[in-house]
Amino acid sequence: MEKVLEVKHLKKYFPVKGLFFTKGWVKAVDDISFEIYKGETFGLVGESGCGKTTTGRTILRLIEPTAGEILFEGKNVMELKGDELKWFRRKAQIMFQDPYSSLNPRQTVFEIIMEPVRFHGIEVDDPEEFVVNLLKSVGLNEMHLYRYPHEFSGGQRQRIALARIMALKPEFIVLDEPTSALDVSVQANILNTLKDLQEKHGFTYLFISHDLGVVKYMSHRMGVMYLGKLVEVGPADKIFENPLHPYTQMLLSAIPVPDPEMAKELKAKRKIVRGEPPSPINPPAGCRFHPRCPFAKDVCRKEEPPMVEVEKDHHVACWLYAKS
Amino acid sequence: MPEPILQVRNLTVHFYTYAGIVKAIERVSFDVYRGETFALVGETGCGKSVTSRALTQLIESPGRIVEGEVLYHKEDGTVVDLLKLNEEQIREIRGNEIAYIFQDPHASLDPLYTVGYQIGEAMEVHGKVESIKEGIKKAVDILRSVLIPDPENRVKNYPHELSGGMKQRVVIGIGIANNPKILIADEPTTALDVTVQAQILDLINQLKEKYKATVILITHNLGVVAETADRVAVMYAGKIVEIGSVEQIFKNPLHPYTKGLLKAVPNPMTKIERLEAIPGTVPNLITPPSGCRFHPRCPFATEVCKRKVPELKEMEDGHFVACHLY
Amino acid sequence: MADLKKFLIRRILTFIPTIVGVTIIVFLIAYVIPADPAKAWAGGEKASPEAVERIKERYHLNEPWYDQYWFLIKGLATNTLIDPRTSNPVFDDIKDRFPVTFQLAIIAFTFTILIGIPLGLISALKRNTWIDTLVRIFALIGVSTPVFWLGYLLLFVFFVKFRITNLAGVPPAPPVQITHIPIIDSLLTGNFTLFKQHLARFWLPGFVLGFMGTGVLARFVRNSFLEALSGDYIQFLKAKGVPKLRMYRHALKNALVPIVTVLGLQFGGLLAGTPITETVFALPGMGRYAILSIQNLDFPAVVAITFIYAIIYVTANLVVDILYAVIDPRVRY
Amino acid sequence: MQEEYKKSILDKLADKIVYGLGSFISLFKKGWKEKNKSKMEEWRLMLYALNRSPPALIGLFLVILFILVGIFGPRLAHWRYNFFPMLYTKSYDKIILAPPGSKFVLDYYNNTVITFPLGSDHYGRDLLSLILSGARTSFVISIIVISLGVPLGILLGLIAGYYGGKVDELIMRITDMFLAFPALILAIALSAVLPERIQNFISTHEAVQKFVLWLFALDVREAGNLGRLLAVILAMIIVWWPAYARITRGSTLTEKEKLYIEAARAIGLPARTIMFKHILPNIIGPILVYITLDFGGVILMEAGLSFLGLGATPPIADWGRIVYDGAQYFPKAWWLVFYPGLVVMLVALGWNLLGDGLRDILDPKTRRSIEFKVKKSKKEGEANA
């Protein structure tokens, strides 16, 4: 299968400022590697502060990484300049979590969608018709053309954002919690639209979310992040059926399922959920999960576990599965 | 027959805003039984939060409680209408017999006072302790009971020195400080991560058992409802559309909205080919749809739905629905 | 408390670049002086070329800019910068006038606080009533009234018509000096006659100077207090069953942080108003001195005065920062 | 919803203004009116809100009056500012200070009688004429200071806020230094050292000199005084920008965090476009309010400076200067202090009232509450009736 995106040893540290010098570093993303294949949805899950959003933005070069390589269709994103960078900006897009701040409140829908089109020099015969067609493809219509964002509901705004992205005919879209600010009934709508568009245009998605149910529904493959580290990567089905990393297991057992019987069952065999994620400023040594891990051994406290392939395509970074 | 602790009748709250009168909740009625966990579920703006706050007159201007009764059955058997109490009387009930936990623990605590002070204050204002100083001493025990490690030192912490989960534990601590009869938890875990959410929900359950309290849980998360609630009321656009036990609601949902909602949530434990979305959007409550407020989005809507407001009907034991289909 | 100390040191350190910058601006002001003042200082048009040359020599006016800067800094630091008009070191001249200005500012500040804060609180508690509207209009009139106009108006009423204040001279400083601010010293040493004299001389100019800030402060207190009252934690306090007064106390403490900032800024504003007030009320303070120096092209004095004002301003900001840290535990980080 | 309002004459005027403007723009940009319905509706609502706020309307009235007098004042004045009449009482005693409302004989020889509605100054000039001419001075100065100082501050604030890091550090340190001086003190110091150089510049550039004289409606004779006048302007520009740099930086920092800015970056838009097309329009509201309030501020400060003897020198008509010169005759010639001061206050009050009203109108939250209040009061009125 063709790789659209390859992330190699990506690191992003944010400085913690002291008076004159940097006091320390927030290791938001610390040496993660994964790839995304054409036409698939790669889900990235984790709790707040685990670095999933930073990963998404760094891939698009909205934040400069501290170290590592990002290859987009074989080209090193960090080295792109001029026209090539412009090409990348067109081919790789992002959809944000908060529909209330992702649209400029002073622009009409028409301007919001046409601005990138004009900037990228895409030839359009009739701009109005072009925008109306886009709006229709995401479930809006020509009535909305000259309205301002504040006249729309959250779900509609996400559709406008989607239309803006579609206008550039991208290949790869980072979806950064696109539905977490929306109600469930609206969420289902947006998720279905995203799936339909992927089928029709062959988009590749990086789907970032903290909602395991949504990730399961959307993703073909997925990665689980904890404190800046990728702890488990594999096909979504396999991870849900057979979570390997103790953190993944804990996460899965903590989700409340919308089914009382199943909930009772799960609750009975729920692993004890312990503690809260520590601060990423001074993450624990060794395996970062060890202070909360029920299976922690000596080696976990000292050395970082390597990523190993336990079954086909299913990788995990845990000393339970690796040989030291 | 379970014994009611709270009976809400025809509770109506309007907000007099710039754009017009927002009919936030309209003639909401339900009973809460002693010792149960009663969940109010619904989407943003359906009025669940307003309902919970209206119970103790916690409605700020421009909102106003237009009509209704909230009958509170005290331990000693007397019944009072909470909406008829004056400011001082209701103040004595709030935080004492009926306590709240709000959604956002960051915003709920005053940033300029230590957590010990804030817990102590809650006890002091209800005369449970002589002074706040004494309250701070007792706060140590409370922090311990909400499973905060090292409570002796934590009482001296300011809110910003605690993590989100810890803050919510403090908020819960304030809630249970006076051993309330009813604990109203308004989206207590929405601002928290999944793993922390599980801990907080467990904690609320434990405390409920320990103090024999009744819990009213307000949430939009059906998973949380399935896991913790005994009975559920589903709200849509300011009205209750369905009430029943948690099994009845999840296994045999009657209202088209409840059905749609359940099908729209992806369950991570099952394989779903395609989610079913509810078409349309939530109506604005200034000019709500006539008749049944759900009719513009309802696949089964008929003429009568547009005209007549459906009343709650008991379909099976304790299972009420407000829909013209039945 | 260790936190507080660390915070303070950090804060003081960050003021160093500001002070350095202030000297640079002061220097720039001095540096753009045209060559003519030398002539003026030497005695006007009739001055002999030798005398002018001597003055230029003495004030390094012929040297390159860095030499001039160094001369200026050294002069300020060691108080060897000589005022050509009075032939005194500039800070010596200022030392006599500083207490007058400072005393004026303090009295004005007291007026501002004593009137502004209660007015703001009343306005907030009676939100959207006629009292609120009145305070709002009062605030707008306050910022729109020229200080000199109000000064003359009140002079007309209190001095010309009723003679309730006096305008002549300045009462002496008490024999025992502690703070070197006469009105405070006389209060501290129990010299009430002198205190009364100072008050009689200074209350009207103080009021005029403080008037502008009063309304602004009232409005600001109102808005901050209302903002604090709308916080979620106030709702939670209400849900806790906390009585109203206690709720207000919480809100007030939270509102204090922005109020303190504005007070710091207002103290700076008061200082800026002193030249006009001192001119109207014939007070021999720094502001008046600055105007006279300017009229006489007496630049060493101008430089020194500007510098002093800037130092006071920076110090006021520092005090604000300290108060912040005392009120708000979050600031110490 | 708005149609429920009972429209006042002012509201109807507002409708006409907005639609007229829409049609006007549509003449040049086809279809503008149709495409900007939402925008025009918002304008209309803002004007409605303005109509509901009597203080803002009074402010607007005062400001319009000030602008008109600022433009036409020198023409409206009965006497030129540099006309120094010889005044005599009916008994032909020479007089210097004429009290308000008094009549005097203008010339010993040709018996013309002259009335001083507001009195005269010590040169015998008519105070009313001076005040009218002085409006031009205040008006031009405030416009120059605002239109040069404010954009500079906004630009620096935008750059500091958007780029952050070292650029931000540098700009803000400089801003802090300027803010460390009380504005008036710095302005005093600057207006003391600047005149000479400006005067040199002015005398060597005739076109500039002509233009400035035209701006202030002055005669060529006053060319020698321009240096001091312009020095005050320059001094005020120098003290005015830092506050705007700081405000703009603050709002830019908040606005920059919003996702639509990140979306613009993800599209690849250059920094310039993002700053001016995306950030600036979204933060301009509060800045506009500040600008309005600051027109009053500039006028007050200018009056203050000339009250201290800086800036405009006689015979140039300047409100502060009249007070400065008249103060030596206080309290006898009270009108020389009272009227110019009153005018300064009224103008400053006008701008402040307008600015304060604009703050409510530009903030959608309060604006809507104003609209609602209108409707509620109407309803209650009906209920009572």
Side-chain angles (χ1 to χ4, degrees):
Chain A
M1 254 197 294
E2 192 190 335
K3 282 178 193 166
V4 172
L5 186 86
E6 226 182 320
V7 175
K8 291 180 181 168
H9 304 290
L10 184 69
K11 285 184 188 171
K12 177 65 202 179
Y13 296 174
F14 292 102
V16 181
K17 278 215 172 156
L19 175 55
F20 296 112
F21 306 101
T22 303
K23 267 204 299 207
W25 299 91
V26 176
K27 297 183 174 174
V29 177
D30 199 5
D31 195 1
I32 66 170
S33 306
F34 61 92
E35 56 258 358
I36 303 178
Y37 299 101
K38 194 163 177 51
E40 75 166 350
T41 302
F42 184 84
L44 203 54
V45 287
E47 295 175 277
S48 56
C50 73
K52 53 190 194 303
T53 294
T54 310
T55 306
R57 306 219 168 161
T58 317
I59 287 171
L60 291 184
R61 228 181 125 179
L62 292 171
I63 305 175
E64 297 287 317
T66 310
E69 235 183 309
I70 300 154
L71 300 176
F72 179 74
E73 301 197 339
K75 287 187 181 112
N76 188 339
V77 171
M78 297 320 302
E79 284 161 8
L80 296 180
K81 274 195 212 92
D83 281 349
E84 274 193 319
L85 180 61
K86 210 167 165 181
W87 162 83
F88 173 70
R89 288 271 176 251
R90 190 177 149 183
K91 289 294 164 196
Q93 285 297 320
I94 181 164
M95 184 168 171
F96 295 101
Q97 166 178 8
D98 180 5
Y100 293 91
S101 88
S102 62
L103 305 174
N104 185 344
R106 300 259 151 211
Q107 286 183 320
T108 59
V109 171
F110 179 75
E111 287 162 351
I112 287 170
I113 295 172
M114 276 311 284
E115 187 175 37
V117 174
R118 291 211 178 97
F119 175 71
H120 282 284
I122 297 166
E123 298 269 329
V124 175
D125 290 336
D126 181 351
E128 267 186 41
E129 195 189 305
F130 174 77
V131 175
V132 169
N133 283 337
L134 278 170
L135 287 179
K136 280 184 180 154
S137 73
V138 293
L140 298 169
N141 59 49
E142 67 273 4
M143 255 170 54
H144 302 126
L145 203 51
Y146 293 113
R147 298 240 189 113
Y148 286 90
H150 68 87
E151 297 170 68
F152 295 93
S153 69
Q156 285 174 317
R157 285 178 203 217
Q158 285 302 60
R159 287 168 192 281
I160 296 168
L162 199 53
R164 170 171 62 186
I165 290 167
M166 303 256 304
L168 294 177
K169 303 196 176 68
E171 277 163 22
F172 171 66
I173 305 174
V174 174
L175 303 165
D176 187 2
E177 309 238 14
T179 59
S180 64
L182 305 175
D183 276 322
V184 266
S185 67
V186 182
Q187 162 176 291
N189 253 318
I190 298 279
L191 292 179
N192 286 340
T193 309
L194 284 169
K195 272 196 155 186
D196 295 344
L197 290 173
Q198 181 172 45
E199 220 156 82
K200 196 169 160 201
H201 301 281
F203 290 149
T204 308
Y205 291 146
L206 170 63
F207 192 93
I208 298 168
S209 180
H210 67 273
D211 186 328
L212 286 152
V214 172
V215 169
K216 163 103 190 262
Y217 177 61
M218 292 296 290
S219 315
H220 304 98
R221 293 193 312 128
M222 68 184 274
V224 181
M225 276 186 87
Y226 183 76
L227 268 193
K229 288 273 182 193
L230 210 48
V231 295
E232 190 163 356
V233 182
D237 295 344
K238 277 192 187 165
I239 289 185
F240 275 89
E241 266 164 41
N242 181 23
L244 296 174
H245 199 283
Y247 174 64
T248 317
Q249 293 169 359
M250 182 165 149
L251 202 60
L252 287 180
S253 73
I255 335 166
V257 257
D259 184 329
E261 273 170 38
M262 208 187 269
K264 243 174 233 151
E265 251 171 65
L266 285 169
K267 220 169 164 181
K269 58 178 187 182
R270 173 176 288 172
K271 299 225 165 63
I272 311 158
V273 180
R274 302 200 294 187
E276 287 180 52
S279 143
I281 297 179
N282 290 308
C287 170
R288 295 196 174 171
F289 186 59
H290 83 253
R292 298 174 74 188
C293 182
F295 313 111
K297 303 181 284 189
D298 263 355
V299 61
C300 304
R301 289 179 194 101
K302 286 179 203 129
E303 271 179 80
E304 278 189 35
M307 190 66 103
V308 288
E309 187 167 10
V310 175
E311 49 183 330
K312 194 181 171 297
D313 295 331
H314 191 168
H315 305 255
V316 64
C318 176
W319 284 117
L320 290 176
Y321 306 93
K323 281 181 222 111
S324 53
Chain B
M1 186 67 193
E3 172 199 358
I5 188 164
L6 212 58
Q7 289 178 301
V8 179
R9 293 288 172 267
N10 296 334
L11 187 60
T12 303
V13 176
H14 289 174
F15 283 79
Y16 297 81
T17 70
Y18 66 89
I21 299 163
V22 178
K23 296 155 191 103
I25 55 172
E26 195 86 8
R27 297 173 65 79
V28 165
S29 306
F30 59 90
D31 288 354
V32 180
Y33 301 126
R34 205 176 285 279
E36 72 170 348
T37 300
F38 181 80
L40 265 178
V41 284
E43 298 180 284
T44 320
C46 71
K48 54 190 191 301
S49 216
V50 174
T51 308
S52 74
R53 291 185 190 208
L55 297 180
T56 62
Q57 303 184 23
L58 272 180
I59 298 289
E60 292 286 306
S61 164
R64 211 153 64 201
I65 299 169
V66 178
E67 66 160 307
E69 287 179 323
V70 176
L71 302 175
Y72 171 52
H73 298 253
K74 290 196 173 183
E75 290 270 274
D76 58 14
T78 50
V79 181
V80 282
D81 182 355
L82 295 179
L83 302 186
K84 295 232 161 56
L85 298 183
N86 67 25
E87 203 174 309
E88 182 55 25
Q89 289 167 326
I90 193 74
R91 184 190 74 70
E92 278 166 13
I93 299 237
R94 280 186 208 137
N96 191 9
E97 298 197 31
I98 302 179
Y100 283 84
I101 301 167
F102 286 168
Q103 169 176 359
D104 187 356
H106 310 282
S108 296
L109 297 172
D110 186 331
L112 305 186
Y113 291 87
T114 60
V115 298
Y117 180 95
Q118 299 190 49
I119 296 174
E121 185 181 40
M123 292 189 268
E124 194 253 1
V125 294
H126 291 295
K128 298 281 155 81
V129 289
E130 289 298 316
S131 67
I132 291 185
K133 228 179 195 166
E134 194 192 329
I136 295 176
K137 274 187 213 130
K138 291 215 168 158
V140 177
D141 298 332
I142 289 174
L143 288 184
R144 195 173 289 125
S145 70
V146 292
L147 309 177
I148 289 184
D150 192 15
E152 288 82 4
N153 288 315
R154 287 296 174 200
V155 282
K156 290 177 228 147
N157 278 148
Y158 287 96
H160 71 274
E161 294 165 319
L162 301 176
S163 69
M166 286 298 156
K167 270 186 242 183
Q168 195 61 307
R169 284 165 194 272
V170 172
V171 171
I172 294 174
I174 291 173
I176 59 155
N178 295 318
N179 204 347
K181 301 291 167 284
I182 301 177
L183 190 62
I184 301 178
D186 187 354
E187 304 259 13
T189 58
T190 307
L192 305 173
D193 275 321
V194 207
T195 54
V196 184
Q197 165 173 289
Q199 298 168 27
I200 295 289
L201 289 175
D202 276 352
L203 176 66
I204 293 179
N205 259 335
Q206 281 174 29
L207 293 172
K208 180 194 145 201
E209 299 301 326
K210 188 171 157 193
Y211 292 101
K212 308 225 171 344
T214 307
V215 173
I216 300 178
L217 179 73
I218 286 92
T219 182
H220 68 277
N221 189 329
L222 288 169
V224 170
V225 175
E227 200 160 277
T228 44
D230 297 318
R231 286 193 320 122
V232 185
V234 182
M235 288 191 80
Y236 180 79
K239 305 273 293 177
I240 289 188
V241 294
E242 190 165 358
I243 303 180
S245 71
V246 74
E247 283 77 20
Q248 289 166 340
I249 295 289
F250 279 87
K251 290 296 155 206
N252 182 24
L254 295 174
H255 199 281
Y257 174 67
T258 319
K259 284 179 184 167
L261 207 56
L262 285 170
K263 281 184 193 145
V265 192
N267 180 343
M269 294 306 153
T270 51
K271 180 97 190 148
I272 307 158
E273 272 318 312
R274 197 166 173 86
L275 292 174
E276 278 177 46
I278 304 173
T281 50
V282 180
N284 92 39
L285 295 179
I286 296 171
T287 47
S290 60
C292 171
R293 291 186 175 183
F294 187 60
H295 86 253
R297 299 175 76 184
C298 183
F300 313 108
T302 57
E303 263 312 303
V304 64
C305 300
K306 286 180 200 161
R307 278 186 288 107
K308 214 170 137 229
V309 181
E311 295 297 329
L312 280 172
K313 266 179 283 200
E314 188 163 9
M315 297 307 295
E316 51 183 318
D317 191 25
H319 192 175
F320 297 83
V321 65
C323 179
H324 290 303
L325 287 179
Y326 305 98
Chain C
M1 274 302 124
D3 282 348
L4 194 61
K5 211 184 267 169
K6 245 197 252 162
F7 169 80
L8 270 183
I9 294 170
R10 216 164 34 182
R11 215 65 201 92
I12 291 170
L13 284 177
T14 51
F15 274 121
I16 292 175
T18 315
I19 296 289
V20 172
V22 163
T23 64
I24 290 175
I25 296 176
V26 164
F27 166 70
L28 282 176
I29 293 172
Y31 190 65
V32 293
I33 300 173
D36 271 38
K39 204 185 251 173
W41 303 343
E45 289 301 318
K46 283 169 285 183
S48 66
E50 296 83 49
V52 172
E53 221 20 68
R54 235 187 356 260
I55 293 260
K56 281 192 178 169
E57 189 81 9
R58 194 163 156 204
Y59 288 94
H60 296 227
L61 294 178
N62 293 328
E63 307 296 324
W65 67 269
Y66 45 86
D67 190 79
Q68 290 200 25
Y69 179 63
W70 183 237
F71 170 73
L72 192 76
I73 294 299
K74 214 170 67 189
L76 284 177
T78 58
N79 195 18
T80 50
L81 197 61
I82 306 291
D83 185 334
R85 192 161 49 96
T86 60
S87 305
N88 294 330
V90 281
F91 283 137
D92 287 4
D93 280 344
I94 289 175
K95 210 160 70 192
D96 299 336
R97 293 166 173 91
F98 178 75
V100 174
T101 301
F102 200 71
Q103 180 163 319
L104 176 66
I106 287 199
I107 291 173
F109 202 48
T110 314
F111 270 117
T112 307
I113 291 176
L114 285 186
I115 304 174
I117 291 183
L119 220 54
L121 291 180
I122 293 169
S123 178
L125 293 178
K126 305 266 168 194
R127 176 165 50 144
N128 296 335
T129 61
W130 61 270
I131 298 178
D132 193 18
T133 315
L134 219 62
V135 172
R136 183 175 179 158
I137 290 171
F138 174 72
L140 288 173
I141 289 179
V143 286
S144 312
T145 310
V147 174
F148 57 83
W149 189 64
L150 183 69
Y152 281 116
L153 219 61
L154 295 183
L155 260 187
F156 195 77
V157 176
F158 291 106
F159 181 69
V160 181
K161 292 280 170 216
F162 299 110
R163 301 254 164 209
I164 319 187
T165 181
N166 68 66
L167 276 186
V170 173
V176 188
Q177 302 220 335
I178 303 163
T179 57
H180 293 270
I181 309 301
I183 195 162
I184 298 177
D185 284 349
S186 56
L187 196 62
L188 286 178
T189 55
N191 193 340
F192 291 111
T193 4
L194 199 59
F195 176 74
K196 254 192 230 159
Q197 284 175 10
H198 274 280
L199 210 57
R201 177 68 173 104
F202 277 91
W203 74 268
L204 192 59
F207 175 77
V208 168
L209 183 58
F211 182 73
M212 187 174 196
T214 309
V216 180
L217 182 63
R219 276 297 276 175
F220 197 84
V221 167
R222 170 198 184 266
N223 291 342
S224 313
F225 188 55
L226 284 179
E227 168 102 36
L229 270 181
S230 71
D232 277 357
Y233 58 86
I234 296 290
Q235 271 290 305
F236 189 62
L237 281 172
K238 203 171 170 189
K240 252 160 87 169
V242 167
K244 252 205 173 112
L245 271 178
R246 179 75 69 76
M247 248 156 61
Y248 289 152
R249 219 173 70 197
H250 277 271
L252 194 61
K253 191 165 176 191
N254 275 279
L256 224 49
V257 176
I259 291 174
V260 162
T261 319
V262 151
L263 282 176
L265 286 174
Q266 286 202 322
F267 194 75
L270 284 180
L271 285 176
T274 51
I276 296 180
T277 319
E278 286 170 11
T279 304
V280 173
F281 291 91
L283 281 169
M286 277 205 313
R288 188 75 202 123
Y289 179 59
I291 303 301
L292 288 176
S293 306
I294 287 166
Q295 281 166 352
N296 294 301
L297 298 178
D298 184 2
F299 294 111
V302 177
V303 164
I305 291 167
T306 331
F307 184 67
I308 289 278
Y309 272 117
I311 296 282
I312 298 174
Y313 192 80
V314 169
T315 315
N317 272 314
L318 188 67
V319 173
V320 165
D321 280 337
I322 295 170
L323 285 178
Y324 263 10
V326 173
I327 300 169
D328 191 340
R330 285 167 298 180
V331 173
R332 285 171 225 165
Y333 283 81
Chain D
M1 195 62 62
Q2 283 72 35
E3 308 316 320
E4 287 176 27
Y5 294 136
K6 204 161 122 194
K7 285 185 188 171
S8 67
I9 298 173
L10 283 171
D11 292 343
K12 283 178 190 153
L13 187 71
D15 287 353
K16 285 222 170 80
I17 290 174
V18 169
Y19 292 135
L21 200 68
S23 312
F24 184 73
I25 299 177
S26 299
L27 287 182
F28 303 99
K29 272 188 179 172
K30 246 189 97 200
W32 189 91
K33 209 161 130 183
E34 286 70 36
K35 288 179 194 174
N36 290 280
K37 269 215 173 88
S38 300
K39 197 182 265 170
M40 279 163 57
E41 187 58 32
E42 203 177 321
W43 289 353
R44 209 162 62 109
L45 281 180
M46 281 187 200
L47 288 176
Y48 280 16
L50 180 74
N51 292 344
R52 302 292 179 281
S53 163
L57 278 181
I58 296 173
L60 184 67
F61 171 75
L62 286 171
V63 164
I64 289 176
L65 197 68
F66 168 64
I67 291 173
L68 288 178
V69 175
I71 295 169
F72 301 108
R75 282 169 184 233
L76 291 171
H78 199 62
W79 307 99
R80 276 294 275 175
Y81 67 93
N82 52 3
F83 173 67
F84 300 88
M86 295 286 227
L87 300 179
Y88 298 93
T89 59
K90 292 266 165 64
S91 49
Y92 294 101
D93 295 325
K94 200 160 177 285
I95 174 100
I96 331 179
L97 288 159
S102 56
K103 286 190 167 74
F104 288 98
V105 176
L106 178 56
D107 202 303
Y108 194 79
Y109 303 101
N110 68 14
N111 259 342
T112 337
V113 171
I114 174 172
T115 319
F116 294 101
L118 300 182
S120 84
D121 74 349
H122 61 293
Y123 297 117
R125 295 184 292 176
D126 173 32
L127 186 57
L128 179 62
S129 298
L130 275 183
I131 285 175
L132 286 173
S133 304
R136 170 66 77 91
T137 318
S138 278
F139 177 63
V140 172
I141 289 181
S142 56
I143 287 200
I144 295 180
V145 171
I146 296 282
S147 60
L148 293 182
V150 171
L152 180 69
I154 293 178
L155 185 70
L156 289 174
L158 261 180
I159 290 172
Y162 184 73
Y163 286 106
K166 293 215 167 66
V167 184
D168 180 30
E169 197 71 13
L170 182 73
I171 294 179
M172 288 332 281
R173 279 293 88 80
I174 295 175
T175 311
D176 275 349
M177 288 165 201
F178 275 95
L179 287 172
F181 293 99
L184 187 75
I185 304 289
L186 186 58
I188 290 172
L190 284 169
S191 35
V193 297
L194 292 172
E196 196 109 0
R197 307 209 151 189
I198 295 176
Q199 191 62 51
N200 287 341
F201 177 81
I202 286 274
S203 358
T204 47
H205 294 75
E206 207 172 324
V208 179
Q209 178 181 321
K210 260 197 183 143
F211 175 68
V212 175
L213 286 172
W214 173 79
L215 264 186
F216 285 97
L218 297 176
D219 289 349
V220 195
R221 271 175 284 170
E222 265 68 73
N225 289 331
L226 288 182
R228 287 171 61 91
L229 190 59
L230 293 182
V232 166
I233 299 180
L234 194 57
M236 284 206 283
I237 292 172
I238 291 172
V239 300
W240 228 266
W241 68 266
Y244 282 87
R246 182 173 269 189
I247 298 165
T248 312
R249 173 182 176 268
S251 351
T252 306
L253 282 181
T254 343
E255 207 63 27
K256 193 176 81 169
E257 293 304 309
K258 300 219 171 130
L259 289 173
Y260 71 89
I261 298 302
E262 193 137 12
R265 295 202 313 148
I267 286 159
L269 296 182
R272 199 164 23 98
T273 317
I274 296 179
M275 275 194 278
F276 291 104
K277 265 190 79 183
H278 291 267
I279 296 180
L280 190 58
N282 281 295
I283 59 171
I284 200 72
I287 295 178
L288 271 178
V289 172
Y290 273 106
I291 291 175
T292 316
L293 297 171
D294 263 0
F295 265 101
V298 172
I299 285 164
L300 276 176
M301 191 192 262
E302 192 270 332
L305 285 170
S306 38
F307 169 73
L308 294 173
L310 300 157
T313 39
I316 297 175
D318 180 284
W319 296 337
R321 184 69 195 200
I322 301 171
V323 181
Y324 172 76
D325 291 328
Q328 42 188 316
Y329 304 101
F330 185 83
K332 201 184 113 211
W334 55 267
W335 57 91
L336 284 178
V337 171
F338 181 76
Y339 290 117
L342 181 69
V343 172
V344 172
M345 194 201 102
L346 285 178
V347 173
L349 186 64
W351 284 109
N352 280 320
L353 283 171
L354 183 64
D356 197 58
L358 274 187
R359 196 201 314 265
D360 287 354
I361 290 160
L362 288 178
D363 178 355
K365 241 184 2 207
T366 35
R367 181 171 84 228
R368 280 165 195 157
S369 81
I370 293 174
E371 288 160 17
F372 176 62
K373 229 188 282 170
V374 180
K375 227 157 65 175
K376 203 173 90 180
S377 65
K378 223 186 86 186
K379 275 207 182 112
E380 275 166 12
E382 281 165 7
N384 290 342

